[in-house]
Amino acid sequence: MSDIKVYPVDKEGAKSAWINEESYQQLYQQSVDSPDVFWADQAKRLDWITPFTKVKNTSFDPHNVSIRWFEDGELNVSQNCLDRHLATRGDQVAIIWEGDSPDESLNITYKELHEQVCKFANALKAQGVKKGDVVTIYLPMIPEAAVAMLACTRVGAVHSIVFGGFSPDALAGRIEDAGSHFVITSDEGLRGGKCVPLKKNVDLALNNPNVKVEHVVVIKRTGGDVAWSEGRDLWYHELMATASADCPVEVMNAEDPMFILYTSGSTGKPKGLKHTTGGYLLYASMTHQYVFDYKDGDIYWCTADVGWVTGHSYIVYGPLANGATTLMFEGVPSYPDSSRFGRVIEKHKVNQFYTAPTAIRALMQQGEDVLGDSDLSSLRILGSVGEPINPEAWEWYHRIFGKGQCPIVDTWWQTETGGIMIVPLPYATAAKPGSATRPFFGVQPRLVDNEGTELAGATEGNLVIADSWPGQARSIWGDHERFVQTYFSTFKGYYFTGDGCRRDGDDYYWITGRVDDVINVSGHRMGTAEVESALVAHPKVAEAAVVGYPHPIKGQGIYVYLTLQAGEDGSEELSKELKAWVRNEIGPIATPDLIQFAPGMPKTRSGKIMRRILRKIAEDDFGALGDTSTLADPSVVEDLISNRQNRL
Ligand code: PRX
């Protein structure tokens, strides 16, 4: 790997940066040697209603997993994101909203955002929302999404955001699991000029008898027709018209739940990760400031959706806690054409731009002049998140967006981690394209072999984290045992990330991808078991096995092996029908890319599908199938190979 290019730190830029090479080393050392001192000091960045006396109280012991930070402190998230900024920056823009259409945008100041949040918080209270209640948010990327999130935190309600691309069934499952009685949605969403029927999806979800919702608040976005359930459904604008703008904050304990966010695992239903108030906000705010070297007056843009953790931490909470100006984009990079990202950067003079490798690769495919004549000279820092960025895409991003001048921060983290964990701080760590490089403060990555033994030096293994950090998820909603099983029982004494990783001779970390049955499609996490269970629910399907395979734009694509019920024949038409079926059951992001009809699956004599073999065939790498002698019927492999769908 000696031909890897290293991009040294910009020494000139480092002079005015929050963190440089020296302070990184020094602060990192302090963060792991004396976490109590380090984090007590960092926690001063938040306003506390009652100061904490205890900092860290955490255990990864599988018999007693317990994670508590600042446990006797009290604070309120919306107060930290809004009220405390009013005196100094009330008239500063908090949110720049860029609509799906390039003709629509809006600036919302801190004062205006505060007023809307207070009104909506009062409206929620008037509808019976109390501290600790779970409020489901199913919204497009409109400013009201941030208003709804902050209003929940203001009254102490726990929000559970469900990505607007999820199906009614997926939404119903999450509402039920969270025990949520309130839903906030909009008539429709608008993406790439197309309407998404959000209210209709909510209506369908609420037909499920296990879902017990008292009220649905509906924001008017497109003005499209919606069905109305009198008494249950309420218009947002009507509630806001009469609500008072005076709403004192609810005093929250640092360990009170702040939000739930569902994500896929290797088995079973999606898990609702529980994040709490103090540690999460501190970690989101600190990482946002240092990773993006955010300075007062900067315009910061993260292209994620608030339905994912990146949107939570790096569109809303981190930036607003820091009094930043955060850009929120309703649309897609290809609408009205592929120069859109460039146009938005130019229009709003964006300084920090944070997006996903899949978007970069999709643009890269369109050629060097994809951004047209957009003026990108305002850009200072570029970020990447969600999946490994291949060096070619990194180089292109650096050259085309950054004109060779902007540091790239490749940020590795997860829904479970709350915030960025491994990253080259922009003026502190020399970059190597494709490597997330070094841990953030307080983060102690380790590599272990499959037996859990720590590996030293340059090596490859399972990525685990040796000790807690404030942004860490505290539990799985309603199922602490599953939390312990999933993250703390495979490798005793560590948090297990589910990722594989290589460490080079400079102690740089290179994430190699998931080592479990989770696939990463366009930076979205998908459990293979979820797609399989959607498929077997189809009457013609007897058995399904889903694996990932390398996809040039999505990173990984979804490859399905299907055994049909006796008497059914595979056809192009059935393939299409099954793809549509999965879209409908889970949502468009789960749509299979390739379907292979397979009369038999490679199974052990005890009936277990050997997924390793299916993965290799899907990767078109069947020369390396390994030992197949334990298969009940080795001949099925020949059939699978000769009918493979992915010939590279
Ligand atoms: O496999 C890793 C990959 O995305 C997973 C986490 O997905 P999710 O919880 O949806 O959060 C995505 C946004 C933080 C990880 O286990 N991943 C995320 N960022 C990177 C990455 N893989 C490599 N490099 C990254 N920068």
Side-chain angles (χ1 to χ4, degrees):
M1 286 291 203
S2 55
D3 58 341
I4 284 171
K5 204 161 166 190
V6 179
Y7 287 78
V9 168
D10 165 7
K11 301 266 188 224
E12 208 37 52
K15 285 185 189 158
S16 55
W18 287 114
I19 308 287
N20 58 32
E21 285 170 277
E22 217 183 334
S23 56
Y24 169 70
Q25 295 296 348
Q26 187 218 326
L27 283 168
Y28 182 76
Q29 209 52 47
Q30 191 201 22
S31 74
V32 296
D33 291 347
S34 324
D36 278 5
V37 177
F38 178 84
W39 289 111
D41 199 35
Q42 293 301 327
K44 292 180 190 147
R45 65 172 45 246
L46 300 183
D47 275 10
W48 295 83
I49 297 169
T50 310
F52 53 86
T53 62
K54 268 179 151 173
V55 179
K56 178 174 185 285
N57 180 7
T58 66
S59 160
F60 285 2
D61 173 355
H63 301 295
N64 173 37
V65 172
S66 161
I67 301 158
R68 309 183 66 78
W69 286 87
F70 316 108
E71 59 189 302
D72 57 354
E74 292 179 313
L75 74 167
N76 179 280
V77 169
S78 93
Q79 195 263 329
N80 272 280
C81 291
L82 299 169
D83 306 48
R84 67 167 172 159
H85 302 315
L86 294 181
T88 51
R89 54 177 98 235
D91 294 322
Q92 184 204 301
V93 175
I95 297 178
I96 299 175
W97 178 74
E98 169 79 13
D100 186 52
S101 153
D103 303 328
E104 246 189 312
S105 61
L106 199 64
N107 285 348
I108 302 166
T109 65
Y110 272 94
K111 219 190 267 166
E112 291 163 344
L113 187 60
H114 175 259
E115 187 182 324
Q116 290 182 32
V117 168
C118 287
K119 284 188 175 177
F120 194 46
N122 277 328
L124 287 176
K125 282 201 278 190
Q127 297 311 319
V129 175
K130 299 181 306 297
K131 179 174 180 171
D133 285 349
V134 180
V135 174
T136 301
I137 298 178
Y138 185 64
L139 281 176
M141 288 290 288
I142 52 178
E144 289 83 352
V147 173
M149 293 163 81
L150 290 162
C152 285
T153 64
R154 196 163 190 92
V155 304
V158 180
H159 61 66
S160 167
I161 307 190
V162 179
F163 173 58
F166 278 121
S167 69
D169 265 3
L171 172 63
R174 285 156 173 81
I175 297 175
E176 185 191 351
D177 184 86
S180 170
H181 301 302
F182 300 91
V183 178
I184 302 168
T185 191
S186 66
D187 48 3
E188 295 175 315
L190 202 54
R191 291 187 86 228
K194 296 195 193 88
C195 290
V196 187
L198 295 176
K199 170 66 163 66
K200 185 170 159 217
N201 289 350
V202 171
D203 290 339
L204 289 169
L206 301 198
N207 283 340
N208 181 325
N210 298 325
V211 172
K212 303 203 164 43
V213 165
E214 290 165 30
H215 287 298
V216 179
V217 177
V218 187
I219 294 154
K220 195 172 260 198
R221 167 63 188 107
T222 62
D225 266 352
V226 290
W228 206 251
S229 167
E230 250 355 287
R232 185 197 72 184
D233 298 347
L234 307 158
W235 283 113
Y236 175 85
H237 59 266
E238 288 178 4
L239 297 177
M240 293 293 274
T242 54
S244 152
D246 177 21
C247 181
V249 303
E250 190 72 39
V251 178
M252 304 298 285
N253 180 275
E255 282 302 334
D256 278 338
M258 173 178 165
F259 67 87
I260 312 171
L261 187 56
Y262 285 84
T263 191
S264 297
S266 25
T267 54
K269 291 187 306 179
K271 307 173 286 235
L273 271 313
K274 177 176 105 175
H275 282 281
T276 58
T277 304
Y280 169 81
L281 190 65
L282 168 59
Y283 199 72
S285 143
M286 184 176 165
T287 46
H288 171 259
Q289 180 185 342
Y290 293 153
V291 170
F292 298 99
D293 197 44
Y294 187 86
K295 307 269 178 43
D296 258 354
D298 283 348
I299 310 291
Y300 161 90
W301 180 18
C302 166
T303 70
D305 189 288
V306 292
W308 310 114
V309 73
T310 309
H312 284 63
S313 302
Y314 299 112
I315 294 178
V316 178
Y317 292 117
L320 296 181
N322 293 341
T325 299
T326 180
L327 195 152
M328 190 175 193
F329 177 42
E330 185 183 34
V332 296
S334 54
Y335 180 81
D337 64 48
S338 296
S339 69
R340 188 69 190 275
F341 274 177
R343 303 289 171 209
V344 177
I345 291 167
E346 170 175 328
K347 177 171 170 188
H348 300 292
K349 303 205 167 30
V350 172
N351 302 112
Q352 289 94 349
F353 178 69
Y354 190 27
T355 196
T358 187
I360 298 165
R361 286 191 297 264
L363 294 177
M364 190 172 152
Q365 241 199 1
Q366 316 260 332
E368 303 266 303
D369 54 0
V370 59
L371 301 178
D373 59 0
S374 314
D375 176 3
L376 307 177
S377 59
S378 57
L379 286 175
R380 196 159 64 80
I381 289 172
L382 301 173
S384 171
V385 61
E387 53 178 311
I389 179 163
N390 47 311
E392 300 71 33
W394 195 105
E395 297 281 358
W396 189 88
Y397 193 29
H398 192 250
R399 191 158 45 81
I400 302 298
F401 276 76
K403 309 292 176 214
Q405 304 293 316
C406 304
I408 295 184
V409 290
D410 174 1
T411 64
W412 175 84
W413 60 295
Q414 311 177 296
T415 306
E416 292 87 342
T417 71
I420 294 164
M421 298 287 280
I422 302 184
V423 59
L425 290 179
Y427 298 102
T429 305
K432 296 184 193 180
S435 174
T437 78
R438 314 270 317 176
F440 190 74
F441 304 125
V443 175
Q444 301 186 50
R446 302 279 188 272
L447 300 183
V448 297
D449 65 15
N450 288 342
E451 280 66 54
T453 308
E454 261 192 42
L455 305 167
T459 185
E460 189 164 343
N462 300 295
L463 178 63
V464 298
I465 312 291
D467 200 357
S468 184
W469 62 98
Q472 181 171 27
R474 304 303 196 247
S475 194
I476 290 174
W477 193 253
D479 199 349
H480 192 65
E481 188 46 36
R482 189 174 176 202
F483 183 66
V484 175
Q485 281 304 320
T486 311
Y487 304 108
F488 301 95
S489 58
T490 320
F491 303 115
K492 305 266 178 302
Y494 301 100
Y495 163 78
F496 178 38
T497 63
D499 278 320
C501 184
R502 187 166 68 75
R503 185 171 51 217
D504 71 14
D506 293 328
D507 271 349
Y508 273 33
Y509 289 84
W510 300 72
I511 311 299
T512 52
R514 302 287 305 192
V515 295
D516 52 10
D517 290 323
V518 168
I519 50 183
N520 195 324
V521 185
S522 302
H524 301 316
R525 239 164 105 167
M526 189 51 57
T528 51
E530 277 170 76
V531 184
E532 287 163 5
S533 83
L535 283 162
V536 295
H538 189 283
K540 291 184 183 162
V541 175
E543 192 163 37
V546 172
V547 297
Y549 73 99
H551 187 285
I553 292 181
K554 299 180 179 182
Q556 280 189 298
I558 300 179
Y559 194 115
V560 176
Y561 296 90
L562 275 186
T563 307
L564 296 174
Q565 300 284 7
E568 299 292 348
D569 284 323
S571 64
E572 195 53 37
E573 209 170 292
L574 182 56
S575 223
K576 277 200 194 123
E577 180 184 326
L578 291 165
K579 285 181 188 178
W581 173 270
V582 176
R583 277 176 83 88
N584 195 42
E585 291 275 305
I586 305 177
I589 57 169
T591 312
D593 294 279
L594 297 172
I595 294 185
Q596 175 170 354
F597 295 104
M601 298 281 186
K603 290 187 181 168
T604 60
R605 286 184 197 101
S606 58
K608 196 170 176 306
I609 294 182
M610 290 183 76
R611 308 175 68 87
R612 176 177 58 80
I613 292 178
L614 295 179
R615 260 185 233 120
K616 286 287 175 197
I617 297 173
E619 287 164 11
D620 201 19
D621 183 22
F622 48 88
L625 282 187
D627 184 12
T628 55
S629 63
T630 53
L631 286 177
D633 176 7
S635 71
V636 297
V637 173
E638 282 312 310
D639 171 79
L640 289 172
I641 290 175
S642 53
N643 290 310
R644 70 191 185 281
Q645 301 292 303
N646 184 31
R647 290 163 204 265
L648 298 175

